Amino acid sequence: MQKLIIKGKKELTGKISISGSKNSTLPILAASILADQVRLKNIPLVKDIFTMVELLNYIGLKTKIIKKKNIIEIKNKKKNISTLAPYKLVKTMRAGVLVLGSLLTKYGKAKVSLPGGCAIGSRPVDLHLYALKKLGAKIKIKDGYILAEAKNGLKGTIINFPSISVGATENALLAASRARGKTILKNCAVEPEIKDLIIFLKKLGSSIYMKGRTITILQNKINNTKITHEVIFDRIELGTYMIASALLAKNKIEIDKINPKINKRKKDVLRKIGIQKKKKKSSIIIKRNKKLKKITISTEPYPGFPTDLQAQLMVLLTQAYGVSKIREDIFENRFMHVPELKRMGAQIEIKNKTAFINGPTKLTGAEVMATDLRASVSLVLAGLIAENRTIINRIYHLDRGYEFLERKLKNCKAEIKRI
Ligand code: UD1
């Protein structure tokens, strides 16, 4: 099993280029089932993307990854494709469940494995199924599989989500993009990745309008099914490296290949902590005041603070003065990095859904274990600021979502290696 070894306390300097968004590429790959031919640019070469491509191959699409250019080409010309998404592919990558909406709306049926829980929580798919049923699908659960059918196609309707879900909004969008008549989705997730999916579906011929958390999908004319699309940058990767810069860079890192206009947050959390940003057209430089300030914050759906940056923010707050509070309101079990950070010297207490971080504390290297994607990268950040050597086990989680992590950090003079 591979490990990462980090020798901490090295000042970072250089340039980091942000990769394409994993969470944007995954639903767009699922949407590619609806097209004849797709060329996707700026895709990140990470494990979750390879798993999704494997799933598309299994279904019967032809895919070609041009690694040097971060491009995937997809062809869907076969008449008889499989409408099955097997357990072995969906269990390792929950976004596999997104093929449900595309398969059902195009082929009238789908059999997709239930993704099951994962380390950060139970993660049900009831909201996905609620939306598909409203669109007229007949759904049964049998032997761990979702069996969905819409023999006469799906029919547009009004769907009011009882709570906000990124995946359910995406599945509903995919399904509604070929439904008859008008669909109105209310209380939707509005993450930039959802907007990217909408841009892709529009290229496919759908008429889609978004106002606040309401998305309207009109009767669709599927005409142009040969599409080129460039995926947006990964805002979570950007946030991760912004925090790394704030911890270790002293204004000497430029983070580029981004579009600052895409990522409009409700609150500028980093600024509240004492970190300033110098934004350029497609890059950003982080400046840090000497003394970081404590903060109280909750994770929320976009444009609130993302749960996917909670673990990384916590590492930053171990260096802020006073007791900071982070409430995790999206997933029930997303503080698994806390015991590992405590082993490195962090002073953190958890009460119910809130972590209390007492800072600033000196971190020291230890052997730690990664438990999920974002928890893993928080341990990398902790290792970068810790005294001595940190060894991170189970780093396959990192490979699911961070493209060239060691290479990007090494280029900025970090001492990090994989063994
Ligand atoms: C997506 C992201 C993930 C991010 C999360 C929240 C992808 C591939 N993954 O995951 O990185 O952490 O959004 O921003 O884009 N829920 C239900 N029933 C459902 C669906 C969700 O109760 O049918 C709950 C979940 O358990 C969770 C909350 O809703 O508590 C939000 O989950 P959701 O937005 O659906 O997350 P994902 O789409 O799985």
Side-chain angles (χ1 to χ4, degrees):
M1 213 182 269
Q2 296 187 337
K3 299 172 184 218
L4 276 183
I5 300 188
I6 301 171
K7 193 150 178 264
K9 293 247 169 248
K10 300 275 160 194
E11 192 175 305
L12 302 182
T13 164
K15 202 175 210 179
I16 295 181
S17 295
I18 298 302
S19 300
S21 161
K22 165 180 88 70
N23 287 355
S24 202
T25 308
L26 288 168
I28 289 174
L29 283 172
S32 299
I33 293 172
L34 301 171
D36 292 333
Q37 215 167 311
V38 174
R39 187 174 160 87
L40 272 188
K41 297 183 189 169
N42 199 32
I43 54 125
L45 301 173
V46 295
K47 184 77 179 35
D48 275 8
I49 301 302
F50 296 133
T51 309
M52 191 62 144
V53 170
E54 212 184 313
L55 179 54
L56 295 185
N57 290 338
Y58 183 94
I59 287 169
L61 276 61
K62 269 204 151 162
T63 60
K64 184 174 160 200
I65 301 180
I66 308 163
K67 284 194 176 170
K68 275 193 181 151
K69 294 187 174 169
N70 289 73
I71 284 177
I72 303 185
E73 290 173 347
I74 302 156
K75 282 187 188 160
N76 183 10
K77 294 246 164 103
K78 268 201 214 163
K79 284 229 166 78
N80 292 323
I81 68 159
S82 160
T83 49
L84 169 71
Y87 174 66
K88 65 175 183 195
L89 292 172
V90 181
K91 74 167 187 215
T92 52
M93 194 242 348
R94 292 180 42 86
V97 80
L98 294 176
V99 300
L100 181 60
S102 296
L103 289 174
L104 184 62
T105 203
K106 184 164 178 181
Y107 300 101
K109 61 176 184 169
K111 180 176 175 183
V112 176
S113 170
L114 276 167
C118 74
I120 60 174
S122 61
R123 301 184 82 174
V125 288
D126 56 314
L127 297 170
H128 299 234
L129 304 187
Y130 165 77
L132 298 177
K133 278 185 197 162
K134 283 258 174 188
L135 286 163
K138 290 211 166 75
I139 293 185
K140 277 195 277 184
I141 305 290
K142 200 169 169 239
D143 306 327
Y145 277 82
I146 304 159
L147 307 177
E149 212 176 64
K151 274 189 190 145
N152 302 317
L154 296 172
K155 196 164 171 290
T157 184
I158 298 175
I159 299 169
N160 194 351
F161 287 108
S163 61
I164 296 169
S165 156
V166 173
T169 302
E170 289 166 345
N171 237 333
L173 262 167
L174 293 167
S177 75
R178 281 204 172 197
R180 289 190 312 281
K182 179 161 90 172
T183 302
I184 301 175
L185 306 175
K186 294 184 178 176
N187 201 26
C188 292
V190 293
E191 269 68 0
E193 294 76 28
I194 304 262
K195 291 176 190 155
D196 206 18
L197 174 64
I198 290 175
I199 292 171
F200 181 87
L201 290 172
K202 279 179 162 178
K203 287 181 184 171
L204 259 174
S206 298
S207 302
I208 305 179
Y209 304 91
M210 192 175 197
K211 198 173 171 211
R213 292 201 178 274
T214 300
I215 302 175
T216 305
I217 304 122
L218 296 179
Q219 178 85 47
N220 301 294
K221 289 190 196 101
I222 305 292
N223 41 24
N224 175 14
T225 57
K226 198 170 165 185
I227 289 169
T228 297
H229 182 79
E230 182 164 343
V231 172
I232 56 167
F233 73 94
D234 195 316
R235 65 195 168 93
I236 304 300
E237 192 195 18
L238 168 65
T240 304
Y241 289 123
M242 276 167 48
I243 290 174
S245 305
L247 287 166
L248 285 150
K250 296 198 184 131
N251 319 342
K252 284 185 188 148
I253 288 193
E254 183 167 4
I255 308 175
D256 75 346
K257 293 213 175 160
I258 61 162
N259 176 357
K261 284 189 196 149
I262 283 183
N263 199 17
K264 292 233 163 77
R265 296 258 166 83
K266 201 158 80 179
K267 285 184 211 145
D268 193 336
V269 174
L270 290 186
R271 208 180 61 194
K272 278 194 155 183
I273 299 172
I275 289 156
Q276 280 151 26
K277 299 167 213 158
K278 197 172 145 201
K279 287 185 190 170
K280 295 186 183 171
K281 203 173 147 213
S282 62
S283 70
I284 199 162
I285 296 173
I286 300 299
K287 293 186 172 191
R288 168 184 164 171
N289 289 345
K290 276 205 178 115
K291 210 170 159 183
L292 296 181
K293 288 178 274 184
K294 66 177 181 178
I295 193 173
T296 295
I297 192 165
S298 301
T299 58
E300 288 171 19
Y302 188 86
F305 189 80
T307 172
D308 284 354
L309 278 176
Q310 177 257 107
Q312 301 89 312
L313 179 73
M314 196 178 290
V315 176
L316 183 63
L317 293 176
T318 64
Q319 305 309 305
Y321 284 76
V323 179
S324 297
K325 295 175 204 161
I326 307 183
R327 188 179 153 91
E328 172 56 60
D329 260 335
I330 307 284
F331 291 111
E332 64 268 29
N333 192 22
R334 213 171 193 184
F335 283 141
M336 282 173 303
H337 43 287
V338 171
E340 302 302 291
L341 292 176
K342 282 170 91 168
R343 293 184 54 243
M344 296 176 75
Q347 288 177 21
I348 306 169
E349 293 305 323
I350 298 171
K351 281 187 201 138
N352 301 321
K353 290 178 168 185
T354 305
F356 297 79
I357 306 116
N358 190 0
T361 43
K362 223 187 220 174
L363 301 188
T364 45
E367 185 153 359
V368 289
M369 186 138 76
T371 43
D372 71 72
L373 174 57
R374 309 300 172 186
S376 312
V377 87
S378 79
L379 297 178
V380 172
L381 294 175
L384 289 172
I385 56 168
E387 305 252 2
N388 306 330
R389 210 170 61 147
T390 298
I391 301 172
I392 306 178
N393 293 292
R394 292 204 189 163
I395 52 164
Y396 51 82
H397 292 291
L398 275 176
D399 297 330
R400 283 189 41 216
Y402 283 89
E403 187 180 42
F404 308 136
L405 177 96
E406 298 109 272
R407 196 195 295 175
K408 288 185 186 186
L409 287 171
K410 257 191 208 160
N411 283 347
C412 293
K413 311 259 189 304
E415 271 195 41
I416 177 167
K417 70 174 178 199
R418 186 183 287 244
I419 55 162

